Amino acid sequence: MKYVIGVDIGTQSTKCLLVGVDGRVRAQAGVAYQPETAKPLWAQQDCAVWFDAVCESVRACVAKSGVAPADIAAMCVSSLYGGAGIPVDEALQPLHPCLIWMDRRATAQVDAVNATVDVEKLQAITGNGVDSYYGYTKMLWLREHRPEVWNRTRWFLPPNSYVNWRLTGELAVDHSSAGNIGGVYDAARRGWSHEALGMLGIPARMMPPRLVESSDVVGGLKAEWAARLGLAEGMPLMGGGVDAAVATFCAGVTGSGDHVAMIGTSMCWGFVSPSVDARHRLIGMPHVYRGADRSYVFGGAIAAGAAVTWFRDTFCQAELAEAARTGEDAHALIERQAVEVPPGAQGLVFLPYLMGERSPIWDAQAKGAFIGLSLAHGRAHLYRAVLEGVSFALQHNIEAGRQSGQPLDPRLIVVGGAAHSDLWMQIVADITGYPVFTIEEEVEAALGAAMLAALGAGLVDAATAERGWVTLVERARPEPQAQAVYRERFEIYKSLYPALRDAMHRLQ
């Protein structure tokens, strides 16, 4: 049997899978790390952390598997949205940490673009809006605040493109990563937009000229890395793509209207569409599968699982201590109490804007908040309110997505760490009104990357790719009484940001 390797570079860890062409996972490995958040709204990563994590996880995975190098046919790397990308010089040496998707420091650059650029034209070209989330605004921040870096920058490379270059010596950017940068990619013509780049003052020469599909071969594995990783020299590496789209592909989301929520550190909800339109205040990019005629349109919350982790680490010391003593998961201990709290958390609403917020409000200065606190509320109420707040953010994006007119599939697939929580899956079902399905295999983007490797190597056909290697399991159905409560609370949730916006902006 032939095997493939799928790697996913995440915000907090890199995961590697070695998978047979029958879809069975033979071995897996991972490496954890944390992004650098030295200042408010800053989030960056040294690309060496990612590359070392890829090498360590691949080497461990291959060693665990016992599979002969000659039987490993291909590899594909997906990665977190790398924002601006890694600025590299003529020799492709990194010049600065990568400003990742979480980074929101480019607020002044957003204001400058809105004041000096024909934004409607920029949106029409790219299918995307103006916000510090987008990589091109982060590039403008580097131009203004790190001129010594800007003047030496030859290329901006997405994380997966950088890893592919290190391993193969070939430079290419996949279309999903290019489109996700925002204001520099022509969505209709599927290439860098010289017009948009000129409007922004970003030299076109900084954009690598070779654009590839996610399943296209970038190059063959160099001998030095083959020896270090336990793989065959010349083994092909595919283009890869942005993790949210790759996880979506893994879940079998390939046709128009299919939709999935990826709830990990952040939350991304997206659907497959034949086109993109910035007026809906969502993000658009070519899909990692059949990207020539299918777009992945998505929106999301910056702090989803991150908000839950923040609450656990800040307020749940007793549960953390018990978890350390017993080996039980701290979240499970907290949820035993939260499941007894009724829907709506007895009048408590949480705004999950702990790092500003993405779609559909697009405000880097938005702040998190608990609204409705009283002496009757305890930690269980607050914890449930956090789960509900992130789920309201999900519904806010689904509501924006419906404005496209694209009919959505009558079920919602959820992937990511949140899928481990029965309580959270029930809350999502009750707030969105969709039956919730999750993936039994719990491997997500890394398995999607493996499928792209198999597809590009000709080991699976299109029918297998569209069917996928995963098993979907129904986890929750909407409960009418809870839905009625949440419909009212969702309207309150939406009203809170406009009411508090000015005060949020003053709290610097």
Side-chain angles (χ1 to χ4, degrees):
M1 181 186 293
K2 290 294 183 182
Y3 296 84
V4 291
I5 292 174
V7 179
D8 177 50
I9 304 171
T11 305
Q12 297 179 305
S13 68
T14 287
K15 300 173 185 175
C16 176
L17 303 175
L18 191 142
V19 186
V21 293
D22 59 356
R24 294 187 179 182
V25 177
R26 180 70 174 261
Q28 55 187 299
V31 175
Y33 42 77
Q34 289 294 328
E36 302 169 11
T37 54
K39 296 182 181 181
L41 301 183
W42 285 34
Q44 61 188 37
Q45 187 62 272
D46 186 331
C47 62
V49 172
W50 292 327
F51 185 74
D52 291 347
V54 170
C55 292
E56 182 180 341
S57 61
V58 170
R59 184 168 51 245
C61 199
V62 171
K64 284 181 185 178
S65 74
V67 173
D71 291 330
I72 303 174
M75 175 170 145
C76 181
V77 179
S78 77
S79 70
L80 75 166
Y81 171 40
I86 304 157
V88 299
D89 63 15
E90 288 280 358
L92 277 81
Q93 295 305 302
L95 299 171
H96 193 273
C98 181
L99 311 189
I100 66 173
W101 61 271
M102 291 175 66
D103 194 285
R104 304 303 296 276
R105 72 184 73 177
T107 53
Q109 288 66 42
V110 169
D111 293 340
V113 170
N114 283 322
T116 62
V117 171
D118 184 342
V119 171
E120 287 190 10
K121 191 169 191 179
L122 190 70
Q123 291 176 332
I125 293 171
T126 67
N128 285 293
V130 184
D131 188 78
S132 56
Y133 160 82
Y134 288 108
Y136 73 94
T137 63
K138 296 175 171 67
M139 292 176 186
L140 298 178
W141 186 92
L142 285 169
R143 184 181 68 184
E144 182 173 342
H145 293 276
R146 299 289 186 271
E148 72 285 0
V149 171
W150 181 263
N151 292 333
R152 294 178 59 201
T153 296
R154 181 64 181 92
W155 312 111
F156 282 101
L157 303 183
N160 57 312
S161 298
Y162 175 76
V163 169
N164 283 340
W165 171 77
R166 288 284 305 271
L167 295 176
T168 70
E170 299 293 335
L171 183 60
V173 177
D174 71 278
H175 283 278
S176 75
S177 296
N180 205 185
I181 294 172
V184 298
Y185 181 88
D186 189 317
R189 297 181 178 178
R190 303 188 76 245
W192 305 118
S193 171
H194 288 255
E195 183 178 10
L197 286 161
M199 293 164 63
L200 295 166
I202 299 174
R205 64 172 181 78
M206 291 182 173
M207 303 295 112
R210 184 184 173 198
L211 295 175
V212 298
E213 301 300 332
S214 293
S215 56
D216 284 350
V217 176
V218 170
L221 185 65
K222 293 196 291 188
E224 61 177 297
W225 293 113
R228 294 189 196 187
L229 301 179
L231 297 168
E233 180 183 354
M235 182 199 70
L237 272 74
M238 279 57 186
V242 177
D243 59 357
V246 176
T248 295
F249 172 60
C250 174
V253 174
T254 59
S256 292
D258 291 349
H259 61 124
V260 62
M262 185 176 79
I263 310 178
T265 304
S266 66
M267 181 276 291
C268 289
W269 170 82
F271 63 96
V272 179
S273 172
S275 62
V276 296
D277 189 336
R279 292 175 297 179
H280 303 138
R281 300 182 66 79
L282 298 178
I283 304 155
M285 61 186 176
H287 196 20
V288 296
Y289 176 73
R290 291 187 57 178
D293 57 18
R294 301 181 189 186
S295 295
Y296 175 59
V297 179
F298 73 102
I302 288 184
V308 179
T309 300
W310 162 80
F311 184 85
R312 179 201 67 189
D313 293 346
T314 306
F315 299 108
C316 301
Q317 302 308 311
E319 287 79 7
L320 287 168
E322 184 176 349
R325 181 175 58 81
T326 65
E328 193 169 0
D329 181 68
H331 290 290
L333 294 171
I334 304 165
E335 287 192 11
R336 285 179 193 165
Q337 305 168 51
V339 75
E340 301 300 326
V341 176
Q346 293 186 326
L348 191 59
V349 177
F350 175 68
L351 301 182
Y353 310 148
L354 302 183
M355 282 283 290
E357 189 53 299
R358 291 189 292 186
S359 58
I361 69 170
W362 294 112
D363 186 352
Q365 298 183 70
K367 304 293 191 300
F370 285 102
I371 308 297
L373 277 169
S374 74
L375 292 175
H377 292 122
R379 281 184 304 160
H381 295 86
L382 271 69
Y383 186 81
R384 181 171 187 124
V386 171
L387 301 185
E388 292 176 347
V390 175
S391 304
F392 285 138
L394 167 60
Q395 177 65 0
H396 208 180
N397 281 281
I398 293 174
E399 188 178 73
R402 289 195 183 114
Q403 295 175 13
S404 70
Q406 171 67 58
L408 298 176
D409 190 77
R411 65 181 179 180
L412 172 64
I413 300 168
V414 177
V415 301
H420 294 122
S421 167
D422 290 335
L423 172 61
W424 203 348
M425 293 303 92
Q426 186 61 55
I427 289 171
V428 167
D430 292 336
I431 287 177
T432 65
Y434 287 106
V436 168
F437 287 73
T438 60
I439 295 175
E440 187 175 80
E441 290 78 7
E442 299 183 18
V443 287
E444 296 143 13
L447 189 62
M451 176 66 85
L452 288 169
L455 182 65
L459 299 174
V460 299
D461 57 18
T464 302
E466 294 187 12
R467 184 171 61 251
W469 281 333
V470 300
T471 306
L472 295 178
V473 178
E474 185 173 352
R475 289 286 298 283
R477 283 191 165 271
E479 297 178 352
Q481 286 185 321
Q483 279 187 278
V485 172
Y486 285 133
R487 276 194 294 268
E488 177 193 7
R489 292 297 161 82
F490 179 56
E491 294 304 315
I492 294 171
Y493 172 88
K494 288 191 296 181
S495 73
L496 289 173
Y497 166 73
L500 297 173
R501 178 183 179 277
D502 289 347
M504 290 175 174
H505 287 198
R506 291 167 61 190
L507 290 170
Q508 298 299 323

